Amino acid sequence: MSVGAILFVVGMPVSDIPVFLGYCAGIGAAATIVVTGGRRALIALAHGIIAATGTK
């Protein structure tokens, strides 16, 4: 069973599942970038996430 299906079964609304999984992927990518020492790439990723969510 996939993570999305499990989240649906436990009661998460379907419209929130892709957003939640996207944030999880972003956190994983950021952690990988930090561990490998790519500070500029991390800053670019953070700017992209902020721009995508519309948060200032």
Side-chain angles (χ1 to χ4, degrees):
M1 192 178 277
S2 72
V3 174
I6 293 170
L7 291 172
F8 176 73
V9 169
V10 297
M12 181 176 271
V14 174
S15 61
D16 291 346
I17 292 172
V19 175
F20 176 75
L21 294 177
Y23 282 126
C24 291
I27 291 168
T32 302
I33 290 169
V34 168
V35 168
T36 59
R39 184 171 180 207
R40 287 185 184 168
L42 177 62
I43 292 170
L45 177 67
H47 284 291
I49 291 171
I50 291 169
T53 60
T55 307
K56 293 186 179 191

